[in-house]
Amino acid sequence: MAKKLPMALVHEAMGEVVADPSGHYNVGDRVSLIPNHASTVDDEIGDNYLRNSKFASSSEDGFMREYIQIEPERLIDIPDNLKNEMAAFIETVSVAVQAIRRLESSITSHRDSIGIWGDGNVAYITAVVAKEFYPDSKLYVFGKHDEKLEYFSFANTINIENVPEGLNIDHAIEAVGGRGSEAAINQIIELINPRGSIVLSGVTEELVGIDTRHILEKGLTLLGSSRSTRRDFEEAVSLIVENESVKLRLELMIQNVKVMRTIQDINEIFDEDMNMPWGKSIMKWEM
């Protein structure tokens, strides 16, 4: 990280067009910004997995800038009935869509039950998206914080320390990350049915040990999922706009909205966000 700094932060953002020489957009159009882009195109691999991809606030400047010069193909139209606060975190919803699409690429016809491990923001959004993709499947959310699990009112919630005996799931998504991902992945391997698929979407900087013996014995498939593509953004917008239940559930994520005018405002909202037990902070720029 030290080698990357100084660098503008933030990779989740929406904005208004102030100029477009290409003629794709009109001044004042609201758009969601895609943080990922690659110098080449591969339809099978996707921009988010290509080694030449750049990502805002990671390998290039992020969106915390007064003016952003960006290619039209990295912009998504925001419908009139989608408010700015929701549009600001379409990127996170698109990441959940990518995880579900990765699962769909491998899932068997045995899909009576889907399990999601994690009780944080990413797990919540992933669960909201999974509920729409698999309405006929029983959705389980496994977490360790009962107060956070209460937000998942649309799913069957289970504390990882008190899993009912005999419970099994067909497929799973791990959205824990960090050192906790090791325990989560191994619990998934223990509870998942043979030939199940496991999507790993939680990021950890350390190596974790997993139960390869039972992966082999059950014939399990592990799939990595990271970031998202333009298609994922488009599907994320459609999900929110066309499903009132999705919109209402995602609006619960908006826990802290503050106007940004100074550097001190930025420092304060970052501190507040770090101490928030759940939900997302939205920065409204009024320079």
Side-chain angles (χ1 to χ4, degrees), residues 36-48:
N36 192 76
H37 72 286
S39 57
T40 59
V41 176
D42 190 311
D43 293 334
E44 286 189 281
I45 296 177
D47 290 355
N48 52 325

Side-chain angles (χ1 to χ4, degrees), residues 176-211:
V176 175
R179 288 298 304 173
S181 63
E182 180 173 310
I185 295 169
N186 286 313
Q187 189 172 55
I188 293 171
I189 294 169
E190 177 187 352
L191 298 180
I192 199 167
N193 287 323
R195 291 298 311 279
S197 293
I198 306 170
V199 173
L200 308 178
S201 64
V203 178
T204 177
E205 301 299 329
E206 301 177 41
L207 297 178
V208 298
I210 59 175
D211 181 4

